[in-house]
Amino acid sequence: MMEECWFKNKIKIYLVPKYHFRQMIFICLFGLVSVSPAFPQTYFQQKINYKIDVSLDDNHHELHAFETVEYINNSPDTLHFIWFHLWPNAYSNNNTPLAKQLLRLNGKQRLFSDLELRGFIDSLHFEINGKPVRWNLLPGQPDICHIFPDAPMNPGDSIIISTPFHVKIPKGVTSRLGHIGESYQISQWYPKAAVYDQSGWHPMPYLDQGEFYSEFGSFDVNITLPANYIVGATGNLQNQPEAEMLDKLASDTAWYKKTDMEGTSFPTSSKQTKTLRYKANHVHDFAWFADKRFHVLKGKVKLPESGREITTWVMFTNDQAELWKDALQYVNDAILFFSKHIGDYPYESYTVVQSALSAGLGMEYPGISVIGMVESAYSLDEVITHEIGHNWFYSALGFNERQYPYLDEGLTSACTTRYMNKKYPDKKLWEVYVGKIKMARFLHIEKMPIQRMQELERLAQARNNLEQPIKLPATDFSDINYGIMIYNKADMAFNYLRAYLGDSLFDATIHEYYRKLIFTHPHPNDLRKSFETRTVKDLNWFFDDLMGTVKRMDYKIVELENQQVLVKNDGELASPFLISGITGDSVFFEKWIDGFEGKKWIEIPSGNYAEIKIDPGHITPEINRLNNNIKKTGLFPKSDPVRPQIFFSVEDPGKRSLMYIPAANWTRENGFMAGVALHNGFFLPKRIEYLVMPFYAFGNNDLAGFGRVSYNITPFEKFIRKATISFEATQYGAPGNQNYQKIKTGVDLYFKNKNMNSSLTQKVSGDYFAVSDLYQIEQEQAAAMNSFLQFGYQLEQRRLINPFSVQALLETGKSYRKTSVEFNYKVSYYGQNEGLDIRLFAGTMLKNKSDIPFYAFSASGRSGREQYLYQGSYPDRFATFPDNFFSRQMTLSEGGLVSALNDSLGYSRRLVSLSFTSTLPKINKWVPVKPFVNLLLNDHGFGNGFDSPLFFEAGIKAGFWNLFEIYIPLVVSRNIDSVSGPFKNRIRFILSLDSFSKEKLFSKGGI
Ligand SMILES: [Zn+2]
């Protein structure tokens, strides 16, 4: 199944289908292949045959059922107990593994406290061979149970396990099992035995991120429900009248016009019921979908190898009916394509149903898939194709998906990409992600192929040194890497292997692998063995390095001389690469070079081409394409094309981006400023990054602006993930027709997270500042440059629920030294952005010999004229409070009081402050107001009769969070009241233009 969940809205999300099958005749053709020579002698496989009678109560959204399971112990072991999955219980309370995973991935939501979202399975009464047996739920995991037969099961024994059961179907907005009104998605719904294989039992809780592992066997399922439901299910329908009804419906649907497909309400359920029987062999799951509104399309596909004919079904509602009318062709094309390249489709029929899925774009089950809402015909085709691919890589080859998700998702995604690229060779990225050609031209991306998006997503992770090995189990991945490593990088990796081996050798190998291992549980080593045996090539670079590590690929062309080109491996991955001679888009030669470390001269054919390029087709996971080419002539043969682009366009990893944004600015001293912001792209991290914003100021007819250049180092497998060395310079106007200047240079070290599932980040930084003396600037004197040093440590937990951060700082100037700690914690309420923010700050001067007081700690948020390091963006930095509007601007820091006390109170040698800000639960969406309370204790008070060193203020703030916020202290302690004057003089605001910074925009991956 496929569940690409990152970037949820734009990028495809596939759910895994469980297919349904009609099992096939061709099982007989292949014989019982389950004992295959590719397996070691110890291979065995249990067999489990299910008989289920189930009836749907669509008034109460419940299933009443009885199940009989024949468990055949084919293992050489005596079994004393059996694990069963009771997956509907994943929805039963907020402490199940599913609930915990959803909490981590999505933050606090309604989850299962809400009755309609709750689902469960009960009324269980397990018997073995007709006698009640002891069984119990696994503590803390109510979706797994342990069954103890009275007598042990010897090798070769078979037993009959039976139980009634009742399922409360949750509202289908959480994961894969559910109903939306009277539309039913019945998956992972019945008591189901866990897998027992050579490595023992594999009980696993139901999860949203992470799929399944199940035993093969047969299903015989009777579904009773109101007679006007249309059902799509795993297996083959056994009822002739129902089959005739579906045929009739299919011929009607084929003739429907648009006007026949309007309205999405549910017809009343028929009082009569019907019982539909489905039988399936060689499957490891059974899912069914029921809706009274389904339109039906029916087709057939003749399989290329056996000539066998299979039936294909499409079932859809009026939601997106215009797109779905064409879906039968997508289904038939994809089945034919996969059958040709992998081997014949394994079952007798295939059904795709449309449903209001919420767990992703699509989900596979044996012989049947379910697809949610899609954005376009292209994505419908893509999702359907992906889910169909799982009939091979999941249904027929029954991998342990939880343990090795790259096998089912990676192989399926690779085949899907191959199919889509062949079917839509000219598809451009803008068509799917931008929509309008005019906009695409404006952004200069009208020629960028659709596949580039996938490369960009992966590159962003790779260049941030945040990749994880493809081989990992599902639960070890960060949520973003589950999408990027499993669907995206594994897809690229298998297609890279195919390009290297050539289509025919790759296809022949996969064919043989499929044929030998059909209806078994292949281990990753089986795939490796198939490839190594068939290709007789050293594929360690693929199976060990590319799949098993995060080694990076970075070949570099050093020089060209006499039909030889010198290539250096700047990365860690020594894998094969393609070198080409090209002119524009025309390719003159292509040559695969086996991987190497260090440098190597490579012979190249002569010809009339303009440049030599490594991997012009973006087939390999090259991390840095800017050093991949050399021109045969010219002054700067290695220079790369520069692509000027406006705004934040999509970057082309093969070109040097120069983004420009016309920019305007205003400060009191500079007046209106016009200029440009230049940068080399924000989305893809680069070794060298810059942002330069020069302005011409019309007020003082001078130059102003800001510039930053940084150099990033991302060491391989070190405890430091990224080191950034940066240099910044700033100049803006100051009173008296002067300018202030600031230079900052420093190093930031970001530490690697051992557990990528955790969003904890740690960073240390050291910075040197040289800035104009603020006191002299304000006196309108010629200002000296003062030096300061800052050392910081930051620990941040960026999770969605109860995030927190701790920041420690040591700062020193010529005449002072100070240290402080700031702790921020959010107690999350209901919903992701709602909660109580707590801020604790403590600071002390270690030394203070300065005549200028403002180096010490401020009780209130600093105004611009107190920022001796010129932090923040203040349009009127030197304004005196409360002279004008901008003089009320402050930065929330240090003591954190809002009322402007610093002038009258002076600065403190020591202070501690505690602040609380809360959203207003439930109504916050409509009323953007938050109450706050600030408390502060300093070392001196006022010394004017109101000398309490304890300060208090409470009020409300309103605004656009994190950008513009206005603070209104309504109640203040007497010492504040005595100096702050009238109430209106306490109102101040913050303006955080910095909140648009790149780090916040792309904070998700922990940049
Ligand atoms: Zn999938």
Side-chain angles (χ1 to χ4, degrees):
M1 97 159 129
M2 173 157 163
E3 199 172 7
E4 299 187 0
C5 291
W6 76 104
F7 295 140
K8 270 213 154 100
N9 24 7
K10 266 297 180 191
I11 296 178
K12 52 218 158 129
I13 298 177
Y14 305 78
L15 286 200
V16 181
K18 304 222 146 195
Y19 314 29
H20 72 106
F21 6 160
R22 306 269 172 116
Q23 74 263 32
M24 50 215 124
I25 301 161
F26 109 115
I27 290 166
C28 310
L29 297 178
F30 280 147
L32 293 173
V33 287
S34 59
V35 179
S36 139
F39 285 126
Q41 289 302 306
T42 53
Y43 184 83
F44 65 84
Q45 187 172 304
Q46 306 294 65
K47 184 161 192 206
I48 307 187
N49 301 320
Y50 291 85
K51 283 187 82 164
I52 307 174
D53 292 311
V54 57
S55 62
L56 169 71
D57 172 352
D58 67 348
N59 280 321
H60 302 98
H61 309 301
E62 289 175 348
L63 302 175
H64 296 273
F66 192 89
E67 170 181 279
T68 307
V69 183
E70 183 191 16
Y71 190 105
I72 304 167
N73 182 13
N74 288 327
S75 81
D77 307 324
T78 300
L79 303 180
H80 296 274
F81 57 83
I82 298 170
W83 288 106
F84 256 64
H85 295 136
L86 304 171
W87 282 330
N89 276 347
Y91 306 82
S92 62
N93 66 57
N94 287 346
N95 294 313
T96 64
L98 170 67
K100 287 177 184 163
Q101 185 181 64
L102 292 172
L103 206 65
R104 178 172 66 78
L105 296 177
N106 306 336
K108 283 195 181 178
Q109 7 168 297
R110 290 187 297 163
L111 274 179
F112 312 129
S113 317
D114 215 318
L115 268 188
E116 63 173 4
L117 297 182
R118 195 182 298 167
F120 52 82
I121 181 167
D122 63 5
S123 309
L124 293 153
H125 182 80
F126 285 104
E127 293 187 351
I128 290 183
N129 298 336
K131 284 189 204 144
V133 285
R134 190 162 63 85
W135 67 279
N136 60 267
L137 295 179
L138 194 65
Q141 299 196 5
D143 56 347
I144 301 177
C145 81
H146 222 166
I147 300 176
F148 300 92
D150 284 345
M153 273 184 87
N154 293 315
D157 280 1
S158 67
I159 55 171
I160 302 291
I161 305 166
S162 63
T163 182
F165 65 95
H166 159 253
V167 173
K168 159 77 172 50
I169 305 164
K171 188 173 171 185
V173 295
T174 307
S175 194
R176 302 175 185 103
L177 166 68
H179 72 93
I180 301 285
E182 288 160 13
S183 172
Y184 292 90
Q185 306 173 27
I186 309 300
S187 60
Q188 281 91 21
W189 58 284
Y190 55 92
K192 183 176 186 184
V195 171
Y196 183 77
D197 65 14
Q198 298 90 307
S199 52
W201 282 104
H202 296 272
M204 55 183 70
Y206 178 89
L207 292 177
D208 200 59
Q209 176 183 311
E211 295 175 2
F212 312 99
Y213 184 34
S214 311
E215 300 282 18
F216 283 92
S218 67
F219 282 82
D220 182 348
V221 180
N222 285 301
I223 301 169
T224 303
L225 74 181
N228 56 339
Y229 274 91
I230 312 293
V231 175
T234 295
N236 301 318
L237 178 66
Q238 305 293 308
N239 313 68
Q240 193 53 33
E242 183 74 5
E244 283 163 15
M245 187 277 290
L246 288 175
D247 284 348
K248 163 97 175 47
L249 202 56
S251 62
D252 289 351
T253 303
W255 291 100
Y256 279 159
K257 292 187 295 293
K258 196 178 173 192
T259 45
D260 299 322
M261 297 192 179
E262 284 167 358
T264 53
S265 58
F266 293 97
T268 311
S269 288
S270 160
K271 291 231 166 58
Q272 287 174 322
T273 61
K274 63 182 174 187
T275 297
L276 305 178
R277 185 175 188 192
Y278 293 87
K279 288 171 89 169
N281 277 326
H282 294 274
V283 294
H284 49 66
D285 202 0
F286 187 100
W288 55 284
F289 302 85
D291 198 309
K292 289 171 281 189
R293 307 164 302 170
F294 276 151
H295 302 295
V296 173
L297 294 171
K298 183 183 180 186
K300 54 189 174 188
V301 179
K302 192 170 176 196
L303 300 180
E305 276 176 16
S306 59
R308 190 160 55 86
E309 205 164 75
I310 64 151
T311 310
T312 50
W313 296 95
V314 174
M315 299 183 172
F316 59 100
T317 66
N318 287 343
D319 285 322
Q320 304 197 312
E322 275 304 289
L323 293 176
W324 277 83
K325 272 207 76 173
D326 303 323
L328 188 62
Q329 197 58 48
Y330 304 157
V331 169
N332 294 349
D333 289 351
I335 288 181
L336 199 57
F337 179 87
F338 283 105
S339 296
K340 221 169 101 190
H341 292 284
I342 307 167
D344 275 0
Y345 176 79
Y347 305 117
E348 284 176 36
S349 73
Y350 171 76
T351 307
V352 58
V353 303
Q354 179 212 27
S355 188
L357 248 195
S358 54
L361 286 187
M363 177 71 190
E364 72 275 7
Y365 299 92
I368 189 165
S369 317
V370 56
I371 311 284
M373 300 294 267
V374 292
E375 304 233 322
S376 61
Y378 177 85
S379 23
L380 182 61
D381 194 356
E382 188 180 25
V383 184
I384 287 179
T385 301
H386 177 100
E387 305 310 347
I388 285 176
H390 279 300
N391 281 287
W392 285 261
F393 305 116
Y394 149 81
S395 291
L397 300 169
F399 306 118
N400 182 342
E401 301 176 288
R402 189 69 59 89
Q403 189 67 23
Y404 313 111
Y406 73 99
L407 286 178
D408 54 305
E409 296 305 346
L411 284 164
T412 300
S413 299
C415 292
T416 306
T417 300
R418 180 180 181 184
Y419 172 84
M420 293 300 284
N421 289 351
K422 192 166 177 216
K423 186 164 179 182
Y424 303 91
D426 298 320
K427 195 77 179 172
K428 301 291 183 256
L429 182 142
W430 68 267
E431 295 175 70
V432 176
Y433 298 99
V434 178
K436 295 221 162 52
I437 180 70
K438 276 188 182 168
M439 179 57 80
R441 287 204 186 106
F442 178 69
L443 296 170
H444 300 287
I445 57 164
E446 71 274 20
K447 289 190 183 144
M448 198 177 271
I450 180 79
Q451 300 82 1
R452 204 63 81 241
M453 186 54 96
Q454 214 184 19
E455 183 181 14
L456 287 168
E457 288 164 4
R458 186 185 54 78
L459 274 180
Q461 281 302 89
R463 294 205 189 157
N464 271 317
N465 214 354
L466 286 166
E467 286 193 300
Q468 290 176 271
I470 293 171
K471 264 185 184 170
L472 294 181
T475 47
D476 282 10
F477 286 105
S478 67
D479 53 332
I480 189 163
N481 274 345
Y482 186 71
I484 292 186
M485 297 300 126
I486 293 311
Y487 288 88
N488 185 323
K489 192 176 177 186
D491 168 347
M492 182 276 317
F494 283 116
N495 279 316
Y496 172 20
L497 180 65
R498 178 171 60 85
Y500 169 65
L501 297 175
D503 283 2
S504 60
L505 185 53
F506 184 89
D507 286 353
T509 310
I510 290 282
H511 252 88
E512 189 173 283
Y513 171 68
Y514 173 65
R515 190 176 55 77
K516 281 186 176 169
L517 300 183
I518 189 167
F519 309 134
T520 68
H521 300 306
H523 185 271
N525 285 341
D526 298 318
L527 184 69
R528 180 177 191 151
K529 208 166 152 190
S530 296
F531 271 101
E532 288 179 343
T533 312
R534 181 89 194 198
T535 66
V536 206
K537 277 180 189 285
D538 177 0
L539 297 176
N540 292 342
W541 64 269
F542 183 84
F543 289 101
D544 291 336
D545 293 348
L546 186 53
M547 308 308 271
T549 71
V550 292
K551 287 182 179 175
R552 295 163 295 192
M553 180 174 181
D554 184 11
Y555 287 104
K556 171 183 177 178
I557 295 190
V558 184
E559 58 175 304
L560 172 68
E561 220 181 272
N562 306 328
Q563 297 312 124
Q564 281 199 322
V565 56
L566 181 64
V567 175
K568 180 171 180 244
N569 187 348
D570 261 359
E572 298 86 28
L573 187 69
S575 61
F577 61 91
L578 191 67
I579 194 158
S580 304
I582 57 172
T583 302
D585 291 336
S586 312
V587 177
F588 287 76
F589 75 87
E590 280 187 332
K591 186 175 172 182
W592 276 98
I593 310 294
D594 278 330
F596 57 84
E597 283 169 4
K599 289 182 187 174
K600 192 170 182 178
W601 283 100
I602 293 161
E603 297 277 345
I604 48 162
S606 59
N608 191 22
Y609 46 86
E611 65 178 321
I612 312 283
K613 201 166 189 175
I614 292 174
D615 191 25
H618 295 238
I619 293 162
T620 68
E622 259 284 337
I623 194 167
N624 178 13
R625 296 186 176 276
L626 292 179
N627 56 19
N628 281 17
N629 60 313
I630 192 162
K631 292 193 192 77
K632 283 171 79 181
T633 54
L635 219 47
F636 302 102
K638 286 198 276 180
S639 71
D640 297 290
V642 174
R643 201 170 63 133
Q645 288 171 297
I646 197 161
F647 299 120
F648 307 92
S649 187
V650 182
E651 298 176 52
D652 186 333
K655 291 184 178 149
R656 229 173 257 288
S657 294
L658 171 64
M659 313 259 181
Y660 57 94
I661 309 169
N665 199 348
W666 182 89
T667 71
R668 165 86 49 204
E669 285 76 20
N670 293 110
F672 173 74
M673 288 173 268
V676 65
L678 300 167
H679 64 91
N680 62 338
F682 286 155
F683 180 74
L684 273 189
K686 297 167 192 68
R687 199 161 293 169
I688 295 175
E689 297 176 335
Y690 60 82
L691 168 63
V692 184
M693 276 197 295
F695 292 108
Y696 182 78
F698 292 92
N700 62 354
N701 292 320
D702 207 340
L703 293 175
F706 164 83
R708 179 178 202 266
V709 58
S710 54
Y711 185 76
N712 295 309
I713 303 161
T714 47
F716 177 66
E717 287 188 337
K718 298 283 184 315
F719 68 101
I720 289 173
R721 176 175 68 78
K722 180 161 94 166
T724 302
I725 301 159
S726 61
F727 178 82
E728 272 180 41
T730 309
Q731 167 169 306
Y732 282 105
N737 212 16
Q738 5 160 46
N739 284 309
Y740 74 83
Q741 277 114 16
K742 169 178 171 179
I743 288 166
K744 178 184 172 189
T745 182
V747 182
D748 293 308
L749 302 177
Y750 301 84
F751 294 97
K752 183 161 267 172
N753 225 347
K754 272 199 187 133
N755 174 8
M756 292 287 286
N757 244 329
S758 145
S759 41
L760 201 68
T761 58
Q762 290 185 84
K763 171 183 146 180
V764 295
S765 58
D767 290 297
Y768 166 80
F769 295 81
V771 302
S772 300
D773 185 305
L774 179 64
Y775 185 76
Q776 290 167 342
I777 285 278
E778 286 174 1
Q779 302 307 307
E780 303 188 14
Q781 300 164 359
M785 294 297 275
N786 291 339
S787 300
F788 302 86
L789 281 173
Q790 257 185 9
F791 299 95
Y793 166 77
Q794 188 179 307
L795 172 80
E796 199 173 355
Q797 175 61 276
R798 293 184 185 188
R799 63 191 173 198
L800 289 170
I801 317 147
N802 307 340
F804 67 84
S805 67
V806 182
Q807 191 162 20
L809 205 64
L810 175 70
E811 183 182 301
T812 178
K814 256 186 213 140
S815 53
Y816 74 95
R817 185 171 306 134
K818 68 185 189 183
T819 184
S820 63
V821 181
E822 180 174 333
F823 175 63
N824 283 284
Y825 190 89
K826 185 196 248 347
V827 182
S828 300
Y829 305 149
Y830 183 88
Q832 178 180 339
N833 295 314
E834 293 170 36
L836 172 69
D837 287 307
I838 303 169
R839 176 180 180 271
L840 176 68
F841 179 88
T844 183
M845 299 303 291
L846 301 171
K847 173 178 128 184
N848 193 6
K849 290 187 189 156
S850 172
D851 301 336
I852 298 171
F854 53 47
Y855 294 138
F857 289 99
S858 68
S860 309
R862 288 185 189 246
S863 64
R865 43 178 277 280
E866 302 165 79
Q867 296 280 21
Y868 56 91
L869 293 176
Y870 301 92
Q871 283 136 324
S873 299
Y874 291 81
D876 194 357
R877 179 176 285 275
F878 302 97
T880 311
F881 183 84
D883 287 359
N884 62 26
F885 172 76
F886 278 117
S887 72
R888 292 174 182 267
Q889 188 189 346
M890 61 161 179
T891 301
L892 203 59
S893 55
E894 299 171 76
L897 290 181
V898 175
S899 312
L901 302 185
N902 297 344
D903 285 347
S904 36
L905 177 65
Y907 295 79
S908 309
R909 284 187 6 217
R910 275 182 289 282
L911 58 76
V912 182
S913 76
L914 185 60
S915 306
F916 301 93
T917 309
S918 176
T919 53
L920 295 173
K922 306 288 183 193
I923 59 165
N924 194 53
K925 232 186 246 171
W926 317 110
V927 188
V929 164
K930 295 182 185 182
F932 68 83
V933 173
N934 295 327
L935 295 161
L936 176 126
L937 181 68
N938 73 359
D939 59 338
H940 54 93
F942 271 103
N944 63 354
F946 300 101
D947 57 355
S948 166
L950 183 65
F951 299 78
F952 164 84
E953 61 182 11
I956 53 168
K957 71 173 188 176
F960 312 105
W961 311 130
N962 303 324
L963 174 62
F964 176 81
E965 292 182 328
I966 186 159
Y967 284 76
I968 307 168
L970 299 169
V971 184
V972 297
S973 56
R974 208 158 60 104
N975 46 6
I976 294 179
D977 190 45
S978 69
V979 295
S980 67
F983 157 75
K984 70 177 171 53
N985 275 1
R986 298 199 291 262
I987 300 172
R988 296 171 85 202
F989 67 87
I990 59 171
L991 181 61
S992 312
L993 297 171
D994 304 344
S995 61
F996 282 121
S997 76
K998 168 189 166 185
E999 308 224 341
K1000 295 222 168 116
L1001 281 174
F1002 298 105
S1003 63
K1004 177 139 191 184
I1007 283 169

